[in-house]
Amino acid sequence: MDIFIQIAYLAASILFIIGIKMLGRTSTARKGNFLSSIGMFLAIFATVIQVEAITLVDILICVVIGSTLGLIIAYKVQMTKVPEMVALFNGFGGLASLAVALADFWLNTQEKGLQVDQITGISVAISILIGGVTFTGSLIAYLKLNGKVSGKAITFTGQHLINLILLIAAVAVSIFALTDFANPNFMIALAILSLAIGVLVVIPIGGADMPVVISLLNSYSGMAACATGFVLNNNVLIVAGALVGASGIILTQIMCKAMNRSLINVLLGGFGQTSGGGNQADGPEIAVKEVGVEEAAQIFDSVSSLIIVPGYGMAVAQAQHAIRELSELCEKRNINVRFAIHPVAGRMPGHMNVLLAEANISYDKLIEMDEINDDFANTDLVFVVGANDVVNPAAKTNPDSPIFGMPVLNVEKAQTVIVSKRSMGKGYAGIENELFGADNCLMLFGDAKQTITKLVGELKEL
């Protein structure tokens, strides 16, 4: 039986690795997700065989309840709410690691009276610390994304000092716990400290940097799971947690580069704030030039090259299918159509890729920022749909801007720019967009889905 369990764990680990690899391409992502799901089923099945504390029926009931809830959430969640859902999943992953590690520690030391070895004790402490930070940090990220907590950076005097003191206290409590396993109060105190650190680390992070936070918390959840694997002596949990933790850190580094942040800034929190003393959000009102659907259709009809820049507003309006229809119509008119994808457009890494893939837009047409930025100057028309901060020239020109230094798409260099927006509302960073007042920029106001549908209709008549 032990050989069967180890083989099942090995097969599950291989499926996890293959699945994550396949998630890197849109064409294979669905199959990769399916293979990873099979791997998780094997891991759960092999683990269930070993469990003696509770009955198989109890385990199956929990599996059915959890799977049912997961299916309901997956089917009902709107695409605009996927970042919030990911944040919650990260958080509950951290909570699970904290709860399992603490429960296993309590069972062995308090009820069975066993002496826990140092490796297991360190693993328990790491699981509790990272799991607690992940749980409350993810909840704050969820509340920020959901609008229940201000998306702006929430700071106060001495914030970093308090965070440092709490971290030192957490390390000290962990050391005390390792020297006195019979006293459970140390581990409980560590759990409380970790929950507090999670809140204080995430609240000073500005909304424009939230994609970095999501990927970092995802990495945290993986590292917590990996540490819990050492607590339970479960190989597949160690492998799966290490995969998530490592891939999350790599993605975080990519996000940091895309936003011109250092990883240490992310770990310490408090970034996404203006480095200067000005407040661009309260600056002079920008004078814009509005364009109607009919005039916009004529502009589209006269160009030979088009770059579409999707943003969070596209997700809100669910306009991705209308955009696909527009792009197909333009291609029939021999217009070269491409999509410029900023790494942190939307509310989580890959948000725009997911939406456009859902609309069956070819992955080959999605061009990353570094590859397409030099082409804007040679492009007849750029169509910005709901993007704001990632196309704001202030990131390059205004040192007082909260997003100054963040790499952005060079859309202002195109011959003509049309921006589809519901209103002149600010982006998630809460600042005005200098692009909207540019001489070559036209504003197409209205719901993106409805406006683009009308635009397609007008183009068909030309």
Side-chain angles (χ1 to χ4, degrees), residues 312-376:
Y312 185 66
M314 181 189 74
V316 173
Q318 290 288 285
Q320 59 268 29
H321 296 281
I323 288 176
R324 183 204 64 208
E325 188 177 0
L326 174 64
S327 66
E328 291 176 348
L329 183 59
C330 289
E331 287 175 342
K332 290 179 180 179
R333 294 170 177 262
N334 296 320
I335 300 174
N336 180 25
V337 181
R338 292 177 295 170
F339 292 80
I341 307 298
H342 192 283
V344 293
R347 294 295 183 267
M348 72 175 187
H351 199 182
M352 296 301 103
N353 301 69
V354 171
L355 288 170
L356 296 175
E358 181 198 23
N360 294 320
I361 293 174
S362 174
Y363 188 75
D364 295 335
K365 296 185 182 298
L366 310 185
I367 314 297
E368 298 296 332
M369 177 181 65
D370 292 340
E371 299 179 26
I372 203 170
N373 245 359
D374 293 336
D375 295 344
F376 282 103

Short mmCIF file of all heavy atoms in Angstrom, two decimals, residues 312-376:
data_model
loop_
_atom_site.label_atom_id
_atom_site.label_comp_id
_atom_site.label_asym_id
_atom_site.label_seq_id
_atom_site.Cartn_x
_atom_site.Cartn_y
_atom_site.Cartn_z
N TYR A 312 -9.04 47.36 -18.01
CA TYR A 312 -10.05 46.87 -17.07
C TYR A 312 -11.47 47.29 -17.48
O TYR A 312 -12.43 46.56 -17.24
CB TYR A 312 -9.75 47.38 -15.67
CG TYR A 312 -10.68 46.83 -14.61
CD1 TYR A 312 -10.67 45.48 -14.30
CD2 TYR A 312 -11.56 47.66 -13.92
CE1 TYR A 312 -11.51 44.96 -13.33
CE2 TYR A 312 -12.41 47.15 -12.95
CZ TYR A 312 -12.38 45.81 -12.66
OH TYR A 312 -13.22 45.30 -11.70
N GLY A 313 -11.59 48.47 -18.13
CA GLY A 313 -12.90 48.91 -18.58
C GLY A 313 -13.53 47.94 -19.57
O GLY A 313 -14.75 47.79 -19.62
N MET A 314 -12.70 47.27 -20.36
CA MET A 314 -13.21 46.25 -21.28
C MET A 314 -13.83 45.09 -20.50
O MET A 314 -14.87 44.56 -20.87
CB MET A 314 -12.09 45.73 -22.16
CG MET A 314 -12.53 44.68 -23.17
SD MET A 314 -11.17 43.87 -24.04
CE MET A 314 -10.53 42.80 -22.74
N ALA A 315 -13.17 44.72 -19.40
CA ALA A 315 -13.69 43.63 -18.57
C ALA A 315 -15.02 44.03 -17.93
O ALA A 315 -15.96 43.23 -17.89
CB ALA A 315 -12.67 43.27 -17.50
N VAL A 316 -15.10 45.26 -17.44
CA VAL A 316 -16.32 45.73 -16.80
C VAL A 316 -17.50 45.72 -17.77
O VAL A 316 -18.61 45.30 -17.44
CB VAL A 316 -16.13 47.16 -16.23
CG1 VAL A 316 -17.43 47.72 -15.71
CG2 VAL A 316 -15.07 47.15 -15.13
N ALA A 317 -17.24 46.15 -19.01
CA ALA A 317 -18.30 46.22 -20.03
C ALA A 317 -18.54 44.89 -20.72
O ALA A 317 -19.50 44.77 -21.50
CB ALA A 317 -17.94 47.28 -21.06
N GLN A 318 -17.67 43.90 -20.44
CA GLN A 318 -17.74 42.61 -21.14
C GLN A 318 -17.73 42.82 -22.66
O GLN A 318 -18.54 42.26 -23.41
CB GLN A 318 -19.00 41.85 -20.72
CG GLN A 318 -18.97 41.33 -19.30
CD GLN A 318 -18.01 40.16 -19.12
OE1 GLN A 318 -18.28 39.04 -19.52
NE2 GLN A 318 -16.85 40.44 -18.53
N ALA A 319 -16.79 43.64 -23.10
CA ALA A 319 -16.75 44.06 -24.51
C ALA A 319 -15.80 43.22 -25.35
O ALA A 319 -15.60 43.53 -26.53
CB ALA A 319 -16.34 45.53 -24.58
N GLN A 320 -15.21 42.16 -24.80
CA GLN A 320 -14.20 41.42 -25.54
C GLN A 320 -14.76 40.77 -26.82
O GLN A 320 -14.06 40.69 -27.84
CB GLN A 320 -13.53 40.36 -24.65
CG GLN A 320 -14.47 39.33 -24.05
CD GLN A 320 -14.97 39.72 -22.69
OE1 GLN A 320 -15.08 40.91 -22.38
NE2 GLN A 320 -15.28 38.74 -21.86
N HIS A 321 -16.00 40.32 -26.78
CA HIS A 321 -16.58 39.69 -27.98
C HIS A 321 -16.87 40.74 -29.06
O HIS A 321 -16.69 40.47 -30.25
CB HIS A 321 -17.86 38.94 -27.60
CG HIS A 321 -17.62 37.79 -26.67
ND1 HIS A 321 -17.13 36.57 -27.10
CD2 HIS A 321 -17.79 37.68 -25.33
CE1 HIS A 321 -17.01 35.75 -26.06
NE2 HIS A 321 -17.41 36.41 -24.98
N ALA A 322 -17.31 41.92 -28.64
CA ALA A 322 -17.53 43.01 -29.60
C ALA A 322 -16.20 43.44 -30.22
O ALA A 322 -16.13 43.76 -31.42
CB ALA A 322 -18.21 44.19 -28.91
N ILE A 323 -15.14 43.43 -29.43
CA ILE A 323 -13.82 43.78 -29.95
C ILE A 323 -13.34 42.74 -30.96
O ILE A 323 -12.73 43.08 -31.97
CB ILE A 323 -12.82 43.91 -28.78
CG1 ILE A 323 -13.12 45.18 -27.98
CG2 ILE A 323 -11.38 43.93 -29.28
CD1 ILE A 323 -12.25 45.36 -26.77
N ARG A 324 -13.62 41.48 -30.69
CA ARG A 324 -13.24 40.45 -31.66
C ARG A 324 -13.94 40.68 -32.98
O ARG A 324 -13.33 40.58 -34.06
CB ARG A 324 -13.59 39.07 -31.12
CG ARG A 324 -13.15 37.92 -32.04
CD ARG A 324 -13.97 36.67 -31.82
NE ARG A 324 -15.36 36.91 -32.16
CZ ARG A 324 -16.39 36.27 -31.61
NH1 ARG A 324 -16.18 35.38 -30.67
NH2 ARG A 324 -17.62 36.55 -31.98
N GLU A 325 -15.23 41.01 -32.92
CA GLU A 325 -15.99 41.27 -34.15
C GLU A 325 -15.41 42.47 -34.89
O GLU A 325 -15.30 42.47 -36.12
CB GLU A 325 -17.46 41.49 -33.81
CG GLU A 325 -18.37 41.58 -35.03
CD GLU A 325 -19.83 41.73 -34.66
OE1 GLU A 325 -20.15 41.77 -33.45
OE2 GLU A 325 -20.65 41.81 -35.59
N LEU A 326 -15.03 43.50 -34.13
CA LEU A 326 -14.43 44.69 -34.73
C LEU A 326 -13.10 44.34 -35.40
O LEU A 326 -12.82 44.77 -36.53
CB LEU A 326 -14.21 45.76 -33.66
CG LEU A 326 -13.45 47.02 -34.10
CD1 LEU A 326 -14.24 47.78 -35.16
CD2 LEU A 326 -13.17 47.92 -32.90
N SER A 327 -12.27 43.56 -34.72
CA SER A 327 -10.96 43.21 -35.28
C SER A 327 -11.10 42.36 -36.53
O SER A 327 -10.36 42.54 -37.51
CB SER A 327 -10.13 42.47 -34.22
OG SER A 327 -10.69 41.22 -33.89
N GLU A 328 -12.05 41.44 -36.53
CA GLU A 328 -12.27 40.60 -37.71
C GLU A 328 -12.76 41.43 -38.89
O GLU A 328 -12.34 41.20 -40.04
CB GLU A 328 -13.28 39.49 -37.39
CG GLU A 328 -12.73 38.44 -36.42
CD GLU A 328 -13.78 37.41 -36.04
OE1 GLU A 328 -14.98 37.65 -36.34
OE2 GLU A 328 -13.42 36.38 -35.43
N LEU A 329 -13.62 42.40 -38.62
CA LEU A 329 -14.13 43.26 -39.68
C LEU A 329 -13.00 44.11 -40.26
O LEU A 329 -12.93 44.31 -41.49
CB LEU A 329 -15.25 44.15 -39.13
CG LEU A 329 -15.95 45.08 -40.12
CD1 LEU A 329 -16.60 44.28 -41.25
CD2 LEU A 329 -17.00 45.92 -39.40
N CYS A 330 -12.13 44.61 -39.40
CA CYS A 330 -11.00 45.41 -39.87
C CYS A 330 -10.03 44.58 -40.70
O CYS A 330 -9.49 45.05 -41.72
CB CYS A 330 -10.26 46.03 -38.68
SG CYS A 330 -11.18 47.35 -37.84
N GLU A 331 -9.81 43.34 -40.30
CA GLU A 331 -8.91 42.46 -41.05
C GLU A 331 -9.45 42.17 -42.44
O GLU A 331 -8.69 42.04 -43.40
CB GLU A 331 -8.68 41.17 -40.28
CG GLU A 331 -7.80 41.35 -39.05
CD GLU A 331 -7.68 40.09 -38.23
OE1 GLU A 331 -8.53 39.19 -38.41
OE2 GLU A 331 -6.76 40.01 -37.40
N LYS A 332 -10.77 42.08 -42.56
CA LYS A 332 -11.38 41.87 -43.88
C LYS A 332 -11.16 43.07 -44.79
O LYS A 332 -11.21 42.94 -46.02
CB LYS A 332 -12.89 41.60 -43.73
CG LYS A 332 -13.22 40.26 -43.10
CD LYS A 332 -14.71 40.06 -42.95
CE LYS A 332 -15.03 38.72 -42.32
NZ LYS A 332 -16.51 38.53 -42.14
N ARG A 333 -10.88 44.22 -44.19
CA ARG A 333 -10.59 45.44 -44.95
C ARG A 333 -9.08 45.63 -45.14
O ARG A 333 -8.62 46.72 -45.43
CB ARG A 333 -11.20 46.65 -44.23
CG ARG A 333 -12.72 46.63 -44.18
CD ARG A 333 -13.27 47.71 -43.24
NE ARG A 333 -14.71 47.71 -43.27
CZ ARG A 333 -15.47 48.54 -43.99
NH1 ARG A 333 -14.88 49.47 -44.74
NH2 ARG A 333 -16.78 48.48 -43.97
N ASN A 334 -8.33 44.53 -44.91
CA ASN A 334 -6.87 44.53 -45.08
C ASN A 334 -6.16 45.49 -44.13
O ASN A 334 -5.13 46.07 -44.46
CB ASN A 334 -6.50 44.88 -46.53
CG ASN A 334 -6.99 43.83 -47.51
OD1 ASN A 334 -6.92 42.63 -47.23
ND2 ASN A 334 -7.50 44.27 -48.65
N ILE A 335 -6.75 45.66 -42.94
CA ILE A 335 -6.11 46.47 -41.89
C ILE A 335 -5.30 45.53 -41.00
O ILE A 335 -5.81 44.50 -40.54
CB ILE A 335 -7.16 47.23 -41.06
CG1 ILE A 335 -7.97 48.17 -41.95
CG2 ILE A 335 -6.49 47.99 -39.92
CD1 ILE A 335 -9.12 48.86 -41.23
N ASN A 336 -4.05 45.88 -40.76
CA ASN A 336 -3.20 45.07 -39.88
C ASN A 336 -3.60 45.33 -38.43
O ASN A 336 -3.39 46.43 -37.90
CB ASN A 336 -1.73 45.44 -40.11
CG ASN A 336 -0.80 44.63 -39.22
OD1 ASN A 336 -1.14 43.53 -38.79
ND2 ASN A 336 0.37 45.18 -38.91
N VAL A 337 -4.19 44.33 -37.78
CA VAL A 337 -4.73 44.48 -36.43
C VAL A 337 -3.89 43.69 -35.43
O VAL A 337 -3.62 42.51 -35.63
CB VAL A 337 -6.19 44.01 -36.34
CG1 VAL A 337 -6.73 44.20 -34.92
CG2 VAL A 337 -7.06 44.75 -37.34
N ARG A 338 -3.48 44.36 -34.37
CA ARG A 338 -2.76 43.69 -33.28
C ARG A 338 -3.28 44.22 -31.94
O ARG A 338 -3.89 45.28 -31.88
CB ARG A 338 -1.25 43.96 -33.39
CG ARG A 338 -0.59 43.29 -34.58
CD ARG A 338 0.89 43.65 -34.67
NE ARG A 338 1.07 45.07 -34.92
CZ ARG A 338 2.25 45.68 -34.84
NH1 ARG A 338 3.34 45.00 -34.50
NH2 ARG A 338 2.36 46.97 -35.10
N PHE A 339 -3.01 43.45 -30.89
CA PHE A 339 -3.42 43.84 -29.53
C PHE A 339 -2.16 44.07 -28.69
O PHE A 339 -1.28 43.21 -28.64
CB PHE A 339 -4.28 42.76 -28.90
CG PHE A 339 -5.62 42.58 -29.52
CD1 PHE A 339 -5.77 41.86 -30.70
CD2 PHE A 339 -6.75 43.15 -28.95
CE1 PHE A 339 -7.01 41.70 -31.29
CE2 PHE A 339 -8.00 43.00 -29.53
CZ PHE A 339 -8.12 42.27 -30.71
N ALA A 340 -2.08 45.23 -28.05
CA ALA A 340 -0.95 45.55 -27.18
C ALA A 340 -1.33 45.20 -25.74
O ALA A 340 -2.28 45.75 -25.19
CB ALA A 340 -0.59 47.03 -27.29
N ILE A 341 -0.57 44.29 -25.14
CA ILE A 341 -0.89 43.80 -23.80
C ILE A 341 0.15 44.31 -22.80
O ILE A 341 1.33 43.97 -22.88
CB ILE A 341 -0.92 42.26 -23.77
CG1 ILE A 341 -1.85 41.72 -24.86
CG2 ILE A 341 -1.34 41.78 -22.39
CD1 ILE A 341 -3.29 42.14 -24.71
N HIS A 342 -0.31 45.14 -21.90
CA HIS A 342 0.57 45.58 -20.81
C HIS A 342 0.56 44.50 -19.73
O HIS A 342 -0.50 43.94 -19.41
CB HIS A 342 0.08 46.91 -20.22
CG HIS A 342 1.06 47.57 -19.31
ND1 HIS A 342 1.28 47.14 -18.02
CD2 HIS A 342 1.91 48.62 -19.50
CE1 HIS A 342 2.19 47.90 -17.45
NE2 HIS A 342 2.60 48.80 -18.32
N PRO A 343 1.70 44.16 -19.14
CA PRO A 343 1.77 43.06 -18.17
C PRO A 343 0.84 43.21 -16.98
O PRO A 343 0.41 42.20 -16.40
CB PRO A 343 3.24 43.08 -17.71
CG PRO A 343 3.97 43.73 -18.83
CD PRO A 343 3.03 44.75 -19.40
N VAL A 344 0.52 44.45 -16.59
CA VAL A 344 -0.32 44.62 -15.41
C VAL A 344 -1.64 45.31 -15.73
O VAL A 344 -2.27 45.90 -14.86
CB VAL A 344 0.44 45.41 -14.31
CG1 VAL A 344 1.59 44.60 -13.79
CG2 VAL A 344 0.93 46.75 -14.84
N ALA A 345 -2.08 45.22 -17.00
CA ALA A 345 -3.39 45.75 -17.35
C ALA A 345 -4.46 44.91 -16.65
O ALA A 345 -4.37 43.68 -16.62
CB ALA A 345 -3.59 45.72 -18.86
N GLY A 346 -5.46 45.56 -16.09
CA GLY A 346 -6.49 44.84 -15.35
C GLY A 346 -6.17 44.81 -13.87
O GLY A 346 -5.50 45.70 -13.34
N ARG A 347 -6.61 43.77 -13.20
CA ARG A 347 -6.45 43.69 -11.75
C ARG A 347 -5.61 42.50 -11.31
O ARG A 347 -5.47 42.25 -10.12
CB ARG A 347 -7.84 43.62 -11.08
CG ARG A 347 -8.66 44.89 -11.26
CD ARG A 347 -8.02 46.08 -10.54
NE ARG A 347 -8.83 47.27 -10.64
CZ ARG A 347 -8.69 48.20 -11.58
NH1 ARG A 347 -7.76 48.05 -12.51
NH2 ARG A 347 -9.47 49.26 -11.62
N MET A 348 -5.09 41.73 -12.26
CA MET A 348 -4.20 40.62 -11.91
C MET A 348 -3.37 40.27 -13.13
O MET A 348 -3.72 40.64 -14.26
CB MET A 348 -5.00 39.41 -11.43
CG MET A 348 -5.77 38.69 -12.53
SD MET A 348 -6.56 37.19 -11.94
CE MET A 348 -7.16 36.52 -13.50
N PRO A 349 -2.25 39.58 -12.95
CA PRO A 349 -1.42 39.20 -14.09
C PRO A 349 -2.19 38.35 -15.09
O PRO A 349 -2.89 37.41 -14.71
CB PRO A 349 -0.29 38.38 -13.43
CG PRO A 349 -0.25 38.85 -12.03
CD PRO A 349 -1.66 39.18 -11.66
N GLY A 350 -2.09 38.70 -16.37
CA GLY A 350 -2.75 37.92 -17.41
C GLY A 350 -4.23 38.15 -17.56
O GLY A 350 -4.91 37.42 -18.29
N HIS A 351 -4.76 39.18 -16.90
CA HIS A 351 -6.20 39.42 -16.93
C HIS A 351 -6.70 39.63 -18.36
O HIS A 351 -7.71 39.07 -18.77
CB HIS A 351 -6.52 40.65 -16.06
CG HIS A 351 -7.97 40.72 -15.66
ND1 HIS A 351 -8.48 41.75 -14.93
CD2 HIS A 351 -9.01 39.89 -15.90
CE1 HIS A 351 -9.77 41.56 -14.72
NE2 HIS A 351 -10.11 40.44 -15.31
N MET A 352 -5.99 40.46 -19.14
CA MET A 352 -6.43 40.75 -20.50
C MET A 352 -6.29 39.53 -21.40
O MET A 352 -7.14 39.28 -22.27
CB MET A 352 -5.63 41.91 -21.09
CG MET A 352 -5.82 43.24 -20.37
SD MET A 352 -7.55 43.79 -20.36
CE MET A 352 -8.05 43.39 -18.68
N ASN A 353 -5.24 38.75 -21.20
CA ASN A 353 -5.06 37.54 -22.00
C ASN A 353 -6.23 36.58 -21.82
O ASN A 353 -6.71 35.95 -22.78
CB ASN A 353 -3.75 36.85 -21.61
CG ASN A 353 -2.54 37.74 -21.80
OD1 ASN A 353 -2.37 38.72 -21.09
ND2 ASN A 353 -1.69 37.41 -22.76
N VAL A 354 -6.68 36.45 -20.57
CA VAL A 354 -7.80 35.55 -20.27
C VAL A 354 -9.07 36.03 -20.97
O VAL A 354 -9.80 35.24 -21.59
CB VAL A 354 -8.03 35.46 -18.75
CG1 VAL A 354 -9.31 34.71 -18.44
CG2 VAL A 354 -6.85 34.78 -18.08
N LEU A 355 -9.35 37.32 -20.89
CA LEU A 355 -10.56 37.87 -21.49
C LEU A 355 -10.56 37.70 -23.01
O LEU A 355 -11.56 37.30 -23.61
CB LEU A 355 -10.71 39.34 -21.12
CG LEU A 355 -11.10 39.66 -19.68
CD1 LEU A 355 -10.96 41.14 -19.41
CD2 LEU A 355 -12.50 39.19 -19.38
N LEU A 356 -9.44 38.02 -23.64
CA LEU A 356 -9.36 37.95 -25.09
C LEU A 356 -9.37 36.49 -25.57
O LEU A 356 -9.93 36.19 -26.63
CB LEU A 356 -8.10 38.66 -25.59
CG LEU A 356 -8.08 40.17 -25.31
CD1 LEU A 356 -6.75 40.78 -25.72
CD2 LEU A 356 -9.22 40.88 -26.03
N ALA A 357 -8.76 35.61 -24.80
CA ALA A 357 -8.81 34.19 -25.14
C ALA A 357 -10.24 33.67 -25.05
O ALA A 357 -10.66 32.83 -25.86
CB ALA A 357 -7.89 33.40 -24.22
N GLU A 358 -10.99 34.18 -24.08
CA GLU A 358 -12.40 33.79 -23.93
C GLU A 358 -13.18 34.17 -25.19
O GLU A 358 -14.12 33.47 -25.58
CB GLU A 358 -13.00 34.47 -22.71
CG GLU A 358 -14.46 34.10 -22.47
CD GLU A 358 -15.18 35.08 -21.56
OE1 GLU A 358 -14.74 36.23 -21.45
OE2 GLU A 358 -16.19 34.69 -20.97
N ALA A 359 -12.78 35.27 -25.83
CA ALA A 359 -13.46 35.72 -27.04
C ALA A 359 -12.89 35.08 -28.31
O ALA A 359 -13.23 35.49 -29.42
CB ALA A 359 -13.36 37.24 -27.14
N ASN A 360 -12.00 34.08 -28.13
CA ASN A 360 -11.40 33.35 -29.25
C ASN A 360 -10.57 34.24 -30.17
O ASN A 360 -10.53 34.04 -31.39
CB ASN A 360 -12.48 32.64 -30.08
CG ASN A 360 -13.18 31.54 -29.29
OD1 ASN A 360 -12.54 30.81 -28.54
ND2 ASN A 360 -14.49 31.43 -29.45
N ILE A 361 -9.90 35.22 -29.58
CA ILE A 361 -8.96 36.03 -30.34
C ILE A 361 -7.62 35.31 -30.35
O ILE A 361 -7.13 34.88 -29.30
CB ILE A 361 -8.82 37.44 -29.71
CG1 ILE A 361 -10.15 38.19 -29.87
CG2 ILE A 361 -7.69 38.22 -30.37
CD1 ILE A 361 -10.18 39.53 -29.16
N SER A 362 -7.04 35.16 -31.52
CA SER A 362 -5.80 34.39 -31.67
C SER A 362 -4.70 34.92 -30.77
O SER A 362 -4.45 36.13 -30.71
CB SER A 362 -5.34 34.43 -33.13
OG SER A 362 -4.08 33.80 -33.26
N TYR A 363 -4.04 33.99 -30.08
CA TYR A 363 -2.97 34.37 -29.16
C TYR A 363 -1.82 35.05 -29.89
O TYR A 363 -1.11 35.86 -29.32
CB TYR A 363 -2.47 33.13 -28.41
CG TYR A 363 -1.50 33.43 -27.31
CD1 TYR A 363 -1.96 33.96 -26.10
CD2 TYR A 363 -0.14 33.19 -27.45
CE1 TYR A 363 -1.07 34.25 -25.07
CE2 TYR A 363 0.75 33.48 -26.43
CZ TYR A 363 0.28 34.00 -25.24
OH TYR A 363 1.16 34.28 -24.23
N ASP A 364 -1.64 34.72 -31.18
CA ASP A 364 -0.55 35.30 -31.96
C ASP A 364 -0.72 36.80 -32.15
O ASP A 364 0.26 37.51 -32.45
CB ASP A 364 -0.45 34.62 -33.33
CG ASP A 364 -0.07 33.15 -33.20
OD1 ASP A 364 0.55 32.79 -32.18
OD2 ASP A 364 -0.43 32.36 -34.09
N LYS A 365 -1.94 37.29 -32.00
CA LYS A 365 -2.20 38.72 -32.18
C LYS A 365 -1.97 39.52 -30.90
O LYS A 365 -2.01 40.75 -30.93
CB LYS A 365 -3.64 38.93 -32.67
CG LYS A 365 -3.91 38.33 -34.04
CD LYS A 365 -5.31 38.67 -34.51
CE LYS A 365 -5.58 38.01 -35.86
NZ LYS A 365 -4.64 38.49 -36.89
N LEU A 366 -1.76 38.83 -29.78
CA LEU A 366 -1.53 39.50 -28.51
C LEU A 366 -0.03 39.74 -28.35
O LEU A 366 0.75 38.81 -28.17
CB LEU A 366 -2.06 38.65 -27.34
CG LEU A 366 -3.49 38.12 -27.47
CD1 LEU A 366 -3.90 37.42 -26.18
CD2 LEU A 366 -4.46 39.23 -27.81
N ILE A 367 0.38 41.00 -28.43
CA ILE A 367 1.80 41.35 -28.41
C ILE A 367 2.13 42.03 -27.08
O ILE A 367 1.45 42.97 -26.66
CB ILE A 367 2.15 42.31 -29.58
CG1 ILE A 367 1.53 41.80 -30.89
CG2 ILE A 367 3.66 42.45 -29.69
CD1 ILE A 367 2.03 40.46 -31.33
N GLU A 368 3.17 41.54 -26.44
CA GLU A 368 3.59 42.12 -25.16
C GLU A 368 4.16 43.52 -25.35
O GLU A 368 4.62 43.89 -26.43
CB GLU A 368 4.63 41.22 -24.50
CG GLU A 368 4.13 39.83 -24.15
CD GLU A 368 3.02 39.85 -23.11
OE1 GLU A 368 2.98 40.80 -22.30
OE2 GLU A 368 2.18 38.93 -23.12
N MET A 369 4.15 44.30 -24.28
CA MET A 369 4.54 45.71 -24.32
C MET A 369 5.94 45.92 -24.90
O MET A 369 6.15 46.78 -25.76
CB MET A 369 4.48 46.30 -22.90
CG MET A 369 4.94 47.74 -22.80
SD MET A 369 4.88 48.37 -21.11
CE MET A 369 6.12 47.32 -20.34
N ASP A 370 6.90 45.15 -24.45
CA ASP A 370 8.29 45.34 -24.90
C ASP A 370 8.44 45.12 -26.39
O ASP A 370 9.31 45.73 -27.03
CB ASP A 370 9.23 44.40 -24.14
CG ASP A 370 9.34 44.75 -22.67
OD1 ASP A 370 9.02 45.91 -22.32
OD2 ASP A 370 9.72 43.88 -21.86
N GLU A 371 7.62 44.25 -26.96
CA GLU A 371 7.73 43.92 -28.38
C GLU A 371 7.01 44.92 -29.26
O GLU A 371 7.37 45.07 -30.44
CB GLU A 371 7.18 42.51 -28.64
CG GLU A 371 7.92 41.41 -27.90
CD GLU A 371 7.30 40.05 -28.17
OE1 GLU A 371 6.69 39.86 -29.24
OE2 GLU A 371 7.44 39.16 -27.31
N ILE A 372 6.01 45.60 -28.74
CA ILE A 372 5.17 46.45 -29.59
C ILE A 372 5.37 47.94 -29.35
O ILE A 372 4.94 48.77 -30.16
CB ILE A 372 3.68 46.09 -29.40
CG1 ILE A 372 2.86 46.51 -30.63
CG2 ILE A 372 3.12 46.69 -28.11
CD1 ILE A 372 1.44 45.99 -30.62
N ASN A 373 6.05 48.32 -28.27
CA ASN A 373 6.14 49.73 -27.91
C ASN A 373 6.78 50.59 -28.99
O ASN A 373 6.39 51.75 -29.19
CB ASN A 373 6.90 49.90 -26.58
CG ASN A 373 6.01 50.46 -25.50
OD1 ASN A 373 4.83 50.75 -25.72
ND2 ASN A 373 6.55 50.63 -24.32
N ASP A 374 7.76 50.05 -29.69
CA ASP A 374 8.43 50.84 -30.73
C ASP A 374 7.59 50.98 -32.00
O ASP A 374 7.92 51.78 -32.88
CB ASP A 374 9.78 50.20 -31.09
CG ASP A 374 10.78 50.28 -29.94
OD1 ASP A 374 10.62 51.19 -29.10
OD2 ASP A 374 11.70 49.45 -29.89
N ASP A 375 6.51 50.20 -32.09
CA ASP A 375 5.68 50.21 -33.31
C ASP A 375 4.58 51.27 -33.29
O ASP A 375 3.96 51.53 -34.32
CB ASP A 375 5.04 48.84 -33.52
CG ASP A 375 6.07 47.76 -33.80
OD1 ASP A 375 7.22 48.12 -34.12
OD2 ASP A 375 5.74 46.57 -33.71
N PHE A 376 4.31 51.84 -32.11
CA PHE A 376 3.22 52.81 -32.03
C PHE A 376 3.47 54.02 -32.93
O PHE A 376 2.53 54.56 -33.53
CB PHE A 376 3.02 53.27 -30.58
CG PHE A 376 2.28 52.27 -29.74
CD1 PHE A 376 2.97 51.48 -28.83
CD2 PHE A 376 0.91 52.13 -29.84
CE1 PHE A 376 2.31 50.56 -28.04
CE2 PHE A 376 0.23 51.20 -29.05
CZ PHE A 376 0.93 50.41 -28.15
#
